[in-house]
């Protein structure tokens, strides 16, 4: 345990980066994913096709490749994030961090899109038919009847996607953001005899974070369950 | 619900409006693609030098043999191991003996929640670091076996529970013991509905082999890294790597769809929570 306790501030900082990566890309991926889902169920076939292509490509590409693109390849064509440099105390959000946030967002959005679409699919056919039968226009059908039910049905898959995102933030550590994975690797280098304890501590924090997320998801699911 | 039911068959005015939107959408997309291509061209990414490695037989061999083939081997070993571990843990979770049930449950929950990369680096330091390439190779495989095994355990458990209860009751009624019921009656029927879930887990394993990058394991990412470090052609390399992964995964998904049509038919596909979230998003979390 000494290895972790002696470096507690570094470990806490590492998990702060992990959580920042998670929260920022989580919110952004929800926004982008919802937009993609809207395109995919919308009436414009060109945009439907574009969104479907995006989802297929991104879903079948490993996250690491996506992150390598934004972190290593994109700067070569002038796509960098050097304009970002924010500092809060010890926490510094720079271009590397932003590149990883963008990569995680682009990747996760494809899965968010599929989760929301599965939610829309879970709404029964008769609901939309009934809504149209009482004379609601498309916007009304969506706003009053379909989307409220779709969002509730989307909670479980969305939770899975966000939990995956939390775990995927570790990939950013392989590309230079000093979050939990990178910190664990450096501790492993410095304290060869305590590798098991170090691993168990880091793993345990992740287990706790995942359990907290799935607890929240379960509560939301229960609260919003359609009677 | 299919998208078709969300809106009425459009009338003439709506059709005109949709046509306008389609044109606008196409223009925006075309401009975006043109800008991206122009940016690539302007920065010299289409120069022959940058693409030459991918036309040179030596590098093509390296990419396909040292890269893709090794990656597929890793994924294959990982999936075989994961299926075995998944059966053991899945059946363990359904055991009548608390002494078997609880450890199985704990192992599954633990390995599902821990990021694969943490597991990989731990195994690498604990086992693989002195063993060169094969050490890195097996570190990746073992980490993937543990993680995917834990996910598949849930698949197997859900699959066995999804077999109609009367099947087990009938088997008990003719005097079978629990082991027999599971092995002879439940598992064979469960496997049928589990196959699509297992194949989509193969896609996950294949994608995750790329994480071997962190422990310098052989495979596509390592070959790609070597190529772009030598030639400075990061952008083309990323595109080629992505294309190879996408091709392999799309092929796997096509097999999955074929198999599903053949074995599952129109029946509901088994839906199991996948903390990886890289699966089809149609699942409901089975966290019990």
């Amino acid at each position: 345990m000494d290895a972790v306790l002696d470096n507690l501030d570094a470990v806490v900082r590492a998990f702060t980066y992990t959580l920042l990566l998670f929260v920022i890309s989580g919110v952004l991926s929800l926004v982008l994913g919802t937009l993609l889902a809207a395109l995919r169920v919308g009436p414009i076939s060109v945009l439907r096709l574009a969104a479907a292509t995006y989802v297929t490509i991104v879903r079948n590409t490993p996250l690491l490749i996506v992150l390598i693109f934004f972190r290593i390849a994109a700067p070569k064509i002038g796509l960098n994030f050097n304009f970002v440099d924010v500092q809060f105390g010890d926490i510094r959000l720079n271009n590397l961090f932003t590149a990883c946030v963008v990569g995680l967002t682009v990747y996760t959005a494809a899965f968010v899109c599929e989760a929301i679409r599965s939610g829309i699919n879970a709404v029964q056919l008769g609901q939309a038919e009934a809504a149209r039968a009482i004379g609601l226009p498309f916007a009304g059908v969506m706003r009053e009847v379909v989307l409220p039910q779709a969002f509730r049905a989307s909670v479980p898959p969305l939770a899975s996607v966000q939990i995956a995102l939390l775990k995927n933030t570790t990939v950013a550590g392989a590309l230079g953001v000093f979050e939990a994975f990178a910190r664990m690797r450096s501790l492993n280098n410095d304290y060869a005899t305590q590798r098991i304890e170090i691993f168990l501590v880091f793993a345990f924090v992740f287990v706790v974070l995942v359990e907290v997320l799935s607890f929240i998801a379960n509560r939301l699911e229960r609260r919003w369950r359609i009677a | 619900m299919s998208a078709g039911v969300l809106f009425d068959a459009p009338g003439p005015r709506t059709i005109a409006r949709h046509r306008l939107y389609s044109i606008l959408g196409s223009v925006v997309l075309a401009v975006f693609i043109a800008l991206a291509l122009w940016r690539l061209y302007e920065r010299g990414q289409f120069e022959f030098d940058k693409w030459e490695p991918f036309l040179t037989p030596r590098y093509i061999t390296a990419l396909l043999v040292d890269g893709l083939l090794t990656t597929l081997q890793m994924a294959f070993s990982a999936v075989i191991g994961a299926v075995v571990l998944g059966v053991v843990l899945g059946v363990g979770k359904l055991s009548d003996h608390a002494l078997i049930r609880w450890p199985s449950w704990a192992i599954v929950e633990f390995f599902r929640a821990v990021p694969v990369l943490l597991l990989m680096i731990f195994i690498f330091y604990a086992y693989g670091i002195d063993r060169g390439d094969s050490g890195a190779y097996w570190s990746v495989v073992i980490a993937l076996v543990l993680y995917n095994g834990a996910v598949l355990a849930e698949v197997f458990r859900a699959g066995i529970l999804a077999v109609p209860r009367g099947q087990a009751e009938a088997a008990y009624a003719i005097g079978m013991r629990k082991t027999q019921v599971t092995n002879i009656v439940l598992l064979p029927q469960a496997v049928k509905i589990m196959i699509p879930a297992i194949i989509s887990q193969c896609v996950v394993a294949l994608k995750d082999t790329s994480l071997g990058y962190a422990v310098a394991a052989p495979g596509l990412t390592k070959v790609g890294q070597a190529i772009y470090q030598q030639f400075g052609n990061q952008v083309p390399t990323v595109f080629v790597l992505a294309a190879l992964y996408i091709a392999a995964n799309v092929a796997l998904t096509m097999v999955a769809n074929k198999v599903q049509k053949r074995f599952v038919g129109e029946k509901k596909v088994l839906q199991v929570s996948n903390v990886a979230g890289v699966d089809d998003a149609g699942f409901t979390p089975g966290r019990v």
Side-chain angles (χ1 to χ4, degrees), chain A residues 100-170:
Chain A
C100 287
V101 164
V102 171
L104 285 167
T105 303
V106 163
Y107 182 79
T108 312
F111 296 100
V112 169
C113 168
E114 289 304 88
I116 292 179
R117 215 164 58 97
S118 82
I120 295 179
N121 282 333
V123 179
Q124 283 171 9
L125 210 90
Q127 297 281 334
E129 282 173 348
R132 275 168 47 195
I134 59 168
L136 283 176
F138 175 65
V141 175
M142 292 301 271
R143 202 175 50 231
E144 307 286 341
V145 180
V146 175
L147 285 183
Q149 299 185 62
F151 277 128
R152 297 170 183 191
S154 305
V155 170
L158 275 181
S160 292
V161 170
Q162 296 298 324
I163 289 173
L165 170 62
L166 172 68
K167 303 195 310 175
N168 280 339
T169 56
T170 52

Coordinates of all heavy atoms in Angstrom, one line a residue, chain A residues 100-170:
Chain A
C100 N -7.8 13.8 -26.9 CA -8.4 12.6 -26.4 C -9.9 12.7 -26.1 O -10.7 11.8 -26.4 CB -7.7 12.1 -25.1 SG -6.1 11.5 -25.5
V101 N -10.3 13.9 -25.6 CA -11.8 14.2 -25.4 C -12.5 14.1 -26.7 O -13.6 13.4 -26.8 CB -12.0 15.5 -24.7 CG1 -13.4 16.0 -24.9 CG2 -11.6 15.5 -23.3
V102 N -11.9 14.7 -27.8 CA -12.6 14.7 -29.1 C -12.7 13.2 -29.6 O -13.8 12.8 -30.0 CB -11.8 15.6 -30.1 CG1 -12.4 15.4 -31.5 CG2 -11.9 17.0 -29.7
G103 N -11.6 12.5 -29.5 CA -11.6 11.1 -29.9 C -12.6 10.3 -29.2 O -13.4 9.5 -29.8
L104 N -12.7 10.4 -27.8 CA -13.6 9.6 -27.0 C -15.1 10.0 -27.4 O -15.9 9.2 -27.5 CB -13.4 9.9 -25.5 CG -12.2 9.2 -24.9 CD1 -11.9 9.8 -23.6 CD2 -12.4 7.7 -24.8
T105 N -15.3 11.3 -27.7 CA -16.6 11.8 -28.0 C -17.1 11.2 -29.3 O -18.2 10.7 -29.5 CB -16.6 13.3 -28.1 OG1 -16.2 13.8 -26.8 CG2 -18.0 13.8 -28.4
V106 N -16.2 11.3 -30.3 CA -16.5 10.8 -31.7 C -16.9 9.3 -31.6 O -17.8 8.9 -32.2 CB -15.3 11.1 -32.6 CG1 -15.4 10.2 -33.9 CG2 -15.3 12.5 -33.0
Y107 N -16.0 8.6 -30.8 CA -16.2 7.1 -30.7 C -17.5 6.8 -30.0 O -18.4 6.0 -30.4 CB -15.0 6.5 -30.0 CG -15.1 5.0 -29.8 CD1 -14.7 4.2 -30.9 CD2 -15.4 4.5 -28.6 CE1 -14.7 2.8 -30.7 CE2 -15.4 3.1 -28.5 CZ -15.1 2.3 -29.5 OH -15.1 0.9 -29.4
T108 N -17.7 7.4 -28.8 CA -18.9 7.1 -28.0 C -20.2 7.5 -28.6 O -21.2 6.9 -28.4 CB -18.7 7.7 -26.6 OG1 -17.4 7.5 -26.1 CG2 -19.7 7.2 -25.6
A109 N -20.1 8.6 -29.4 CA -21.4 9.1 -30.0 C -22.0 8.1 -30.8 O -23.3 8.0 -30.9 CB -21.1 10.4 -30.8
A110 N -21.2 7.3 -31.5 CA -21.8 6.2 -32.4 C -22.6 5.3 -31.5 O -23.7 4.8 -32.0 CB -20.7 5.5 -33.1
F111 N -22.1 4.9 -30.3 CA -22.9 4.0 -29.5 C -24.1 4.6 -28.8 O -25.1 4.0 -28.6 CB -21.9 3.4 -28.5 CG -20.8 2.6 -29.1 CD1 -19.6 3.1 -29.3 CD2 -21.1 1.3 -29.6 CE1 -18.6 2.4 -29.9 CE2 -20.1 0.6 -30.2 CZ -18.8 1.1 -30.4
V112 N -23.9 5.9 -28.5 CA -25.1 6.7 -27.9 C -26.2 6.7 -29.0 O -27.4 6.4 -28.6 CB -24.6 8.1 -27.6 CG1 -25.9 8.9 -27.2 CG2 -23.7 8.1 -26.4
C113 N -25.8 6.9 -30.2 CA -26.8 7.0 -31.3 C -27.6 5.6 -31.4 O -28.8 5.6 -31.4 CB -26.1 7.2 -32.6 SG -27.1 7.0 -34.1
E114 N -26.8 4.5 -31.3 CA -27.5 3.2 -31.4 C -28.4 3.0 -30.2 O -29.4 2.4 -30.3 CB -26.4 2.1 -31.5 CG -25.7 2.1 -32.8 CD -26.7 2.0 -34.0 OE1 -27.2 3.0 -34.5 OE2 -27.0 0.9 -34.4
A115 N -27.9 3.5 -29.0 CA -28.7 3.3 -27.8 C -30.0 4.0 -27.9 O -31.1 3.5 -27.5 CB -27.9 3.7 -26.6
I116 N -29.9 5.3 -28.3 CA -31.2 6.1 -28.4 C -32.1 5.5 -29.5 O -33.3 5.4 -29.3 CB -30.8 7.5 -28.7 CG1 -30.1 8.1 -27.5 CG2 -32.1 8.3 -29.1 CD1 -29.7 9.5 -27.6
R117 N -31.5 5.0 -30.6 CA -32.3 4.4 -31.6 C -33.0 3.2 -31.1 O -34.2 2.9 -31.4 CB -31.5 4.1 -32.8 CG -32.1 4.2 -34.1 CD -31.1 4.2 -35.2 NE -30.4 3.0 -35.2 CZ -30.6 2.0 -36.0 NH1 -31.6 2.0 -36.8 NH2 -29.9 0.9 -36.0
S118 N -32.3 2.4 -30.3 CA -33.0 1.2 -29.7 C -34.1 1.6 -28.8 O -35.1 0.9 -28.7 CB -31.9 0.3 -29.0 OG -31.7 0.8 -27.7
G119 N -33.9 2.7 -28.1 CA -35.0 3.3 -27.3 C -36.2 3.6 -28.1 O -37.4 3.3 -27.8
I120 N -36.0 4.3 -29.3 CA -37.1 4.6 -30.1 C -37.8 3.4 -30.7 O -39.0 3.3 -30.7 CB -36.6 5.5 -31.3 CG1 -36.1 6.9 -30.7 CG2 -37.7 5.8 -32.3 CD1 -35.6 7.8 -31.8
N121 N -36.9 2.4 -31.0 CA -37.5 1.1 -31.5 C -38.3 0.4 -30.4 O -39.2 -0.4 -30.7 CB -36.4 0.2 -31.9 CG -35.9 0.6 -33.3 OD1 -36.6 1.1 -34.1 ND2 -34.6 0.3 -33.5
A122 N -38.0 0.7 -29.1 CA -38.7 0.0 -28.1 C -40.1 0.5 -27.9 O -41.0 -0.1 -27.2 CB -37.9 0.1 -26.8
V123 N -40.4 1.7 -28.4 CA -41.8 2.3 -28.2 C -42.7 1.5 -29.2 O -42.3 1.3 -30.3 CB -41.8 3.8 -28.6 CG1 -43.2 4.3 -28.5 CG2 -40.8 4.5 -27.7
Q124 N -43.9 1.1 -28.6 CA -44.7 0.3 -29.5 C -45.3 1.0 -30.6 O -45.6 2.2 -30.5 CB -45.8 -0.3 -28.6 CG -45.3 -1.5 -27.8 CD -46.3 -1.9 -26.7 OE1 -47.5 -1.5 -26.8 NE2 -45.9 -2.8 -25.8
L125 N -45.4 0.3 -31.7 CA -46.0 0.9 -33.0 C -47.3 1.6 -32.7 O -47.5 2.7 -33.3 CB -46.2 -0.3 -33.9 CG -46.0 0.0 -35.4 CD1 -44.6 -0.2 -35.8 CD2 -46.9 -0.9 -36.2
G126 N -48.2 1.0 -32.0 CA -49.5 1.5 -31.8 C -49.5 2.9 -31.2 O -50.4 3.7 -31.4
Q127 N -48.4 3.2 -30.4 CA -48.4 4.5 -29.8 C -48.3 5.6 -30.8 O -49.1 6.6 -30.7 CB -47.1 4.6 -28.9 CG -47.1 3.6 -27.7 CD -48.0 4.1 -26.6 OE1 -48.2 5.3 -26.4 NE2 -48.5 3.2 -25.8
A128 N -47.4 5.5 -31.8 CA -47.3 6.5 -32.8 C -48.5 6.6 -33.7 O -49.0 7.6 -34.0 CB -46.1 6.2 -33.7
E129 N -49.1 5.4 -34.0 CA -50.3 5.3 -34.8 C -51.4 6.1 -34.1 O -52.1 6.9 -34.7 CB -50.7 3.9 -35.1 CG -49.8 3.3 -36.2 CD -50.1 1.8 -36.3 OE1 -50.8 1.2 -35.4 OE2 -49.6 1.2 -37.3
A130 N -51.6 5.8 -32.8 CA -52.6 6.4 -32.0 C -52.4 7.9 -32.0 O -53.4 8.7 -32.1 CB -52.7 5.9 -30.6
A131 N -51.2 8.3 -31.8 CA -50.9 9.8 -31.7 C -51.2 10.4 -33.1 O -51.8 11.5 -33.1 CB -49.4 10.0 -31.4
R132 N -51.0 9.8 -34.2 CA -51.3 10.3 -35.5 C -52.8 10.3 -35.7 O -53.4 11.2 -36.3 CB -50.6 9.6 -36.6 CG -49.2 10.1 -36.8 CD -48.4 9.1 -37.7 NE -49.2 8.7 -38.8 CZ -48.8 7.7 -39.6 NH1 -47.7 7.0 -39.3 NH2 -49.5 7.4 -40.6
A133 N -53.4 9.3 -35.1 CA -54.9 9.2 -35.3 C -55.6 10.3 -34.6 O -56.7 10.8 -35.1 CB -55.4 7.8 -34.8
I134 N -55.1 10.8 -33.5 CA -55.8 11.9 -32.9 C -55.4 13.3 -33.5 O -55.7 14.3 -33.0 CB -55.6 11.9 -31.3 CG1 -54.2 12.0 -31.0 CG2 -56.3 10.7 -30.7 CD1 -53.9 12.4 -29.5
G135 N -54.6 13.2 -34.6 CA -54.4 14.4 -35.3 C -53.1 15.1 -35.0 O -52.9 16.3 -35.4
L136 N -52.2 14.5 -34.2 CA -51.0 15.2 -33.9 C -50.1 15.3 -35.1 O -50.0 14.3 -35.9 CB -50.2 14.5 -32.8 CG -50.7 14.7 -31.3 CD1 -49.9 13.8 -30.4 CD2 -50.6 16.2 -30.9
P137 N -49.4 16.4 -35.4 CA -48.4 16.5 -36.5 C -47.2 15.7 -36.0 O -47.0 15.3 -34.9 CB -48.2 18.0 -36.7 CG -48.4 18.5 -35.3 CD -49.5 17.7 -34.7
F138 N -46.2 15.6 -37.0 CA -45.0 14.8 -36.7 C -44.3 15.3 -35.4 O -44.0 14.5 -34.5 CB -44.0 15.0 -37.9 CG -42.7 14.3 -37.6 CD1 -42.6 12.9 -37.4 CD2 -41.5 15.1 -37.5 CE1 -41.4 12.4 -37.2 CE2 -40.3 14.5 -37.3 CZ -40.2 13.1 -37.1
A139 N -44.1 16.7 -35.3 CA -43.5 17.2 -34.1 C -44.2 16.8 -32.9 O -43.6 16.5 -31.8 CB -43.3 18.7 -34.2
G140 N -45.5 16.9 -32.9 CA -46.3 16.5 -31.8 C -46.2 15.1 -31.4 O -46.1 14.7 -30.3
V141 N -46.2 14.2 -32.4 CA -46.1 12.7 -32.2 C -44.8 12.5 -31.5 O -44.7 11.8 -30.5 CB -46.1 12.0 -33.5 CG1 -45.8 10.5 -33.3 CG2 -47.4 12.1 -34.3
M142 N -43.7 13.1 -32.0 CA -42.4 12.9 -31.4 C -42.3 13.5 -29.9 O -41.9 12.8 -29.0 CB -41.3 13.6 -32.2 CG -41.0 12.9 -33.5 SD -40.6 11.2 -33.4 CE -38.8 11.3 -33.2
R143 N -42.8 14.7 -29.8 CA -42.6 15.4 -28.5 C -43.5 14.9 -27.5 O -43.1 14.8 -26.3 CB -42.8 16.9 -28.7 CG -42.1 17.8 -27.7 CD -42.3 19.3 -28.0 NE -43.6 19.6 -28.3 CZ -44.0 20.3 -29.4 NH1 -43.1 20.7 -30.3 NH2 -45.3 20.6 -29.6
E144 N -44.8 14.6 -27.8 CA -45.7 14.3 -26.8 C -45.8 12.8 -26.5 O -46.1 12.4 -25.4 CB -47.1 14.7 -27.2 CG -47.3 16.2 -27.7 CD -47.2 17.1 -26.4 OE1 -47.5 16.6 -25.3 OE2 -47.0 18.3 -26.6
V145 N -45.5 12.0 -27.5 CA -45.7 10.5 -27.3 C -44.5 9.7 -27.4 O -44.1 8.9 -26.5 CB -46.8 10.0 -28.3 CG1 -47.0 8.6 -28.1 CG2 -48.1 10.8 -28.2
V146 N -43.7 9.8 -28.5 CA -42.6 8.9 -28.8 C -41.4 9.1 -27.9 O -40.9 8.3 -27.2 CB -42.3 8.9 -30.3 CG1 -41.1 8.0 -30.5 CG2 -43.5 8.4 -31.1
L147 N -40.9 10.4 -28.0 CA -39.6 10.7 -27.3 C -39.6 10.4 -25.8 O -38.7 9.9 -25.2 CB -39.1 12.1 -27.7 CG -38.5 12.2 -29.1 CD1 -38.0 13.6 -29.3 CD2 -37.5 11.2 -29.3
P148 N -40.7 10.9 -25.1 CA -40.7 10.7 -23.6 C -40.5 9.2 -23.3 O -39.8 8.8 -22.4 CB -42.1 11.2 -23.2 CG -42.4 12.2 -24.2 CD -41.9 11.7 -25.5
Q149 N -41.2 8.3 -24.1 CA -41.1 6.9 -23.8 C -39.7 6.4 -24.3 O -39.2 5.5 -23.6 CB -42.2 6.1 -24.5 CG -43.6 6.5 -24.1 CD -44.7 5.7 -24.7 OE1 -44.7 4.5 -24.5 NE2 -45.5 6.3 -25.5
A150 N -39.3 6.9 -25.4 CA -38.0 6.4 -25.9 C -36.8 6.7 -25.0 O -36.0 5.9 -24.7 CB -37.7 7.1 -27.3
F151 N -36.9 7.9 -24.4 CA -35.8 8.3 -23.4 C -35.7 7.3 -22.3 O -34.7 6.9 -21.8 CB -35.9 9.7 -23.0 CG -35.4 10.7 -23.9 CD1 -36.1 11.8 -24.4 CD2 -34.1 10.6 -24.4 CE1 -35.6 12.7 -25.3 CE2 -33.6 11.5 -25.3 CZ -34.3 12.5 -25.8
R152 N -36.9 7.0 -21.7 CA -37.0 6.1 -20.6 C -36.4 4.7 -21.0 O -35.6 4.1 -20.3 CB -38.4 5.9 -20.1 CG -39.0 7.2 -19.6 CD -40.4 7.0 -19.4 NE -41.0 8.3 -18.9 CZ -42.2 8.4 -18.5 NH1 -43.0 7.4 -18.3 NH2 -42.6 9.6 -18.1
A153 N -36.8 4.2 -22.2 CA -36.3 2.9 -22.6 C -34.8 3.0 -23.0 O -34.2 1.9 -23.0 CB -37.1 2.5 -23.9
S154 N -34.3 4.2 -23.2 CA -32.9 4.3 -23.6 C -32.0 4.3 -22.3 O -30.7 4.1 -22.5 CB -32.6 5.6 -24.3 OG -33.4 5.7 -25.4
V155 N -32.5 4.4 -21.1 CA -31.7 4.6 -20.0 C -30.7 3.4 -19.8 O -29.5 3.6 -19.7 CB -32.5 4.8 -18.7 CG1 -31.6 4.7 -17.5 CG2 -33.1 6.2 -18.7
P156 N -31.2 2.1 -19.8 CA -30.2 1.0 -19.6 C -29.1 1.0 -20.7 O -28.0 0.9 -20.3 CB -31.1 -0.2 -19.7 CG -32.5 0.3 -19.4 CD -32.6 1.7 -19.9
P157 N -29.4 1.0 -22.0 CA -28.3 1.0 -22.9 C -27.4 2.2 -22.8 O -26.2 2.0 -23.0 CB -29.0 0.9 -24.3 CG -30.4 1.2 -24.1 CD -30.7 0.9 -22.7
L158 N -28.0 3.4 -22.6 CA -27.1 4.5 -22.4 C -26.2 4.4 -21.2 O -25.0 4.8 -21.3 CB -28.0 5.8 -22.2 CG -28.5 6.5 -23.5 CD1 -29.3 7.7 -23.1 CD2 -27.3 6.8 -24.4
A159 N -26.7 3.8 -20.1 CA -25.8 3.6 -19.0 C -24.7 2.7 -19.3 O -23.5 2.9 -19.0 CB -26.6 3.0 -17.8
S160 N -25.0 1.6 -20.1 CA -23.9 0.7 -20.5 C -22.8 1.4 -21.3 O -21.6 1.3 -21.2 CB -24.4 -0.5 -21.4 OG -25.2 -1.3 -20.6
V161 N -23.3 2.3 -22.2 CA -22.4 3.1 -23.1 C -21.5 4.0 -22.2 O -20.3 4.1 -22.5 CB -23.2 3.9 -24.1 CG1 -22.3 4.8 -24.9 CG2 -23.9 2.9 -25.1
Q162 N -22.1 4.6 -21.3 CA -21.4 5.6 -20.4 C -20.4 4.8 -19.5 O -19.3 5.3 -19.3 CB -22.3 6.5 -19.6 CG -23.2 7.4 -20.5 CD -22.4 8.4 -21.3 OE1 -21.4 8.9 -20.9 NE2 -22.9 8.6 -22.5
I163 N -20.8 3.7 -19.1 CA -19.9 2.9 -18.2 C -18.7 2.5 -19.1 O -17.5 2.5 -18.7 CB -20.6 1.6 -17.6 CG1 -21.5 2.1 -16.5 CG2 -19.6 0.7 -17.1 CD1 -22.4 1.0 -16.0
A164 N -19.0 2.1 -20.3 CA -17.9 1.7 -21.3 C -17.0 2.9 -21.5 O -15.7 2.8 -21.5 CB -18.5 1.2 -22.6
L165 N -17.6 4.1 -21.6 CA -16.8 5.3 -21.8 C -15.8 5.5 -20.6 O -14.6 5.8 -20.8 CB -17.7 6.5 -22.0 CG -17.0 7.9 -22.0 CD1 -16.0 8.0 -23.1 CD2 -18.0 9.0 -22.0
L166 N -16.4 5.3 -19.4 CA -15.5 5.5 -18.2 C -14.3 4.6 -18.3 O -13.2 5.0 -18.0 CB -16.3 5.2 -16.9 CG -15.5 5.1 -15.7 CD1 -15.0 6.5 -15.3 CD2 -16.3 4.6 -14.5
K167 N -14.5 3.3 -18.7 CA -13.4 2.4 -18.8 C -12.5 2.7 -19.9 O -11.3 2.5 -19.9 CB -13.9 1.0 -18.9 CG -14.8 0.6 -17.7 CD -15.1 -0.8 -17.5 CE -15.5 -1.5 -18.8 NZ -15.6 -2.9 -18.7
N168 N -13.1 3.3 -21.0 CA -12.3 3.6 -22.2 C -11.4 4.8 -22.0 O -10.4 5.0 -22.8 CB -13.2 3.9 -23.4 CG -13.7 2.6 -24.0 OD1 -13.1 1.6 -23.8 ND2 -14.9 2.7 -24.7
T169 N -11.7 5.6 -21.0 CA -10.8 6.8 -20.8 C -9.4 6.3 -20.5 O -8.4 7.1 -20.8 CB -11.2 7.6 -19.5 OG1 -11.3 6.7 -18.4 CG2 -12.6 8.3 -19.8
T170 N -9.2 5.1 -20.1 CA -7.8 4.6 -19.8 C -7.0 4.6 -21.1 O -5.8 4.7 -21.0 CB -7.8 3.1 -19.2 OG1 -8.6 2.3 -20.1 CG2 -8.4 3.1 -17.8

